[in-house]
Amino acid sequence: MSRLSRFIPVIGGAVAGGVIALAVASGGSSTHSTTTTVVQASRAPAIPTSFSGSANSSTRGLTINQIYQAASPGVVDILVTSQSSGQSANPFGGGSSGSQMTQGEGAGVVYDTKGDILTDEHVISGATRVTVTFQDGRKAPAKVLGTDPSTDVGVIHVTVPSSELHPIAFANSSAAQVGDPVVAIGSPFSLPETTTAGIVSQVGRSITAPNNYTIPGAIQTDAAINPGNSGGPLLDGNGHVLGLNDQIETNNSTATGAGSSSGVGFAIPSTTVARFANAIIGGHPVTHSYVGVELNGSSEGGASISSVQPGSPAQSAGLQNGDLITAIDSQAVTNTDQFIATVDNYQPGQTITLTIKRGGQAKSVKVTLGTRPASTPTGG
């Protein structure tokens, strides 16, 4: 089974203590669970944008160089300093406790002319100091505005002249199709402004967030992304942000054990990024609705409950192990990812009606949604 680096590790080294700090959040030794595809409402197929042209002879897509020239001023390098405590080895026996300063490097996307920059939560998690470097070499300290570990979205803020800020427009990630061309820009292995290209390999993938919940709707790509690409943009054929590069699945690793590109990468979809970034920038609390069930990742025809969390809204509503959820408020649910994505569109405190199958019979169950706990041990 292939090994999943759940988060693209930021490039990092210890400032003191001689320890390499590469794995972020849940690290890279875990395996990748079965992924499923979110079934979306049918729509008329759009014509994919091409690097060299499109099916419409009156329009032409951008070349990779044109995409880079247009978007790269809005991509920044992010250097993060954090402090970790732990037991350090003593070559003469015993050990000494203390703290170590570690540094990591990722990328980010300029979001507006006010100084807001988007990146992955795991890039800036635990940061004591954040420094942003723009394409022209200008450096600026950044403040962490907020993060959402459930979607791996983070926002930092810099105070620089507006002339230094070149926001990149966001695409509608729900319109992405398999085969669409994409370009990734980031800082793999401490090489800022590195540009790679590929295609959308698949849409509607599920990946695991830093707090072990599921992020639905991720975009899979074969564009090369590596440690240090975290938080950088995955751009569509128009040079717009389709998502933030986030994770890789790999059988390859560097000499220090960090996963490296095997051609299977994942980006957080732009619609998810924008939704929660806007809440953080607006000073609103970021919350997610919570049912309190663990689901079978590979169930078909609905979302199958494998267990019910004690004290959860699901338990209060009488949901049981083995129930198959087939609809939410009369909207059909055909798989686990679709259930997760649909529930996340509701707010804590709202009441929803689930249609379930139990013992071969259909019934309706009302559930008043709670607020998602900070983390889950299972990823459900």
Side-chain angles (χ1 to χ4, degrees):
M1 179 178 292
S2 59
R3 175 172 151 270
L4 174 68
S5 291
R6 286 199 177 274
F7 307 97
I8 309 171
V10 291
I11 298 296
V15 175
V19 177
I20 301 298
L22 285 166
V24 181
S26 61
S29 60
S30 54
T31 56
H32 186 26
S33 57
T34 302
T35 57
T36 56
T37 301
V38 175
V39 177
Q40 301 173 335
S42 60
R43 59 179 184 273
I47 299 174
T49 303
S50 169
F51 290 143
S52 59
S54 73
N56 184 344
S57 60
S58 65
T59 62
R60 294 185 64 81
L62 301 177
T63 66
I64 296 172
N65 177 260
Q66 287 172 328
I67 292 172
Y68 171 76
Q69 294 294 338
S72 59
V75 181
V76 301
D77 180 77
I78 300 176
L79 185 66
V80 177
T81 302
S82 58
Q83 186 169 344
S84 60
S85 59
Q87 192 83 6
S88 60
N90 186 329
F92 300 102
S96 60
S97 60
S99 61
Q100 296 183 89
M101 301 298 293
T102 61
Q103 285 191 328
E105 189 171 9
V109 176
V110 176
Y111 192 54
D112 55 40
T113 56
K114 297 183 297 182
D116 297 314
I117 295 173
L118 310 189
T119 188
D120 292 343
E121 188 272 348
H122 75 263
V123 170
I124 55 176
S125 177
T128 56
R129 184 168 68 249
V130 179
T131 302
V132 166
T133 303
F134 293 89
Q135 186 188 46
D136 62 6
R138 182 180 185 131
K139 296 181 183 293
K143 173 186 176 182
V144 176
L145 280 188
T147 64
D148 178 31
S150 285
T151 56
D152 205 11
V153 172
V155 182
I156 59 178
H157 183 83
V158 294
T159 302
V160 297
S162 59
S163 59
E164 191 70 55
L165 300 166
H166 303 279
I168 309 175
F170 268 49
N172 177 8
S173 54
S174 64
Q177 297 182 69
V178 174
D180 284 353
V182 289
V183 170
I185 304 177
S187 302
F189 304 114
S190 295
L191 298 169
E193 300 295 325
T194 294
T195 303
T196 56
I199 62 169
V200 173
S201 301
Q202 191 50 266
V203 296
R205 296 302 197 190
S206 62
I207 57 178
T208 304
N211 59 4
N212 222 27
Y213 286 102
T214 297
I215 305 173
I219 298 168
Q220 181 183 335
T221 181
D222 67 349
I225 51 179
N226 283 288
N229 272 110
S230 287
L234 186 69
L235 303 159
D236 67 9
N238 294 312
H240 299 162
V241 178
L242 196 61
L244 295 186
N245 294 315
D246 191 71
Q247 301 182 15
I248 53 178
E249 188 167 10
T250 180
N251 283 324
N252 301 321
S253 62
T254 66
T256 55
S260 60
S261 177
S262 291
V264 181
F266 303 94
I268 310 164
S270 59
T271 52
T272 298
V273 174
R275 173 186 171 189
F276 293 102
N278 288 336
I280 292 169
I281 293 169
H284 305 297
V286 175
T287 58
H288 295 266
S289 55
Y290 177 67
V291 177
V293 291
E294 294 179 31
L295 303 169
N296 293 319
S298 58
S299 60
E300 296 181 359
S304 178
I305 298 175
S306 58
S307 68
V308 176
Q309 298 295 323
S312 66
Q315 185 182 56
S316 298
L319 292 174
Q320 299 177 10
N321 298 356
D323 286 347
L324 182 68
I325 302 168
T326 60
I328 301 175
D329 287 343
S330 299
Q331 178 182 342
V333 170
T334 58
N335 56 50
T336 295
D337 278 6
Q338 189 181 17
F339 173 79
I340 295 170
T342 303
V343 167
D344 204 34
N345 288 326
Y346 291 86
Q347 296 298 318
Q350 286 186 277
T351 298
I352 60 175
T353 300
L354 301 182
T355 302
I356 66 169
K357 286 184 178 179
R358 179 186 299 166
Q361 295 186 336
K363 62 181 300 183
S364 296
V365 178
K366 290 187 178 295
V367 180
T368 300
L369 299 171
T371 299
R372 181 182 291 180
S375 63
T376 173
T378 62

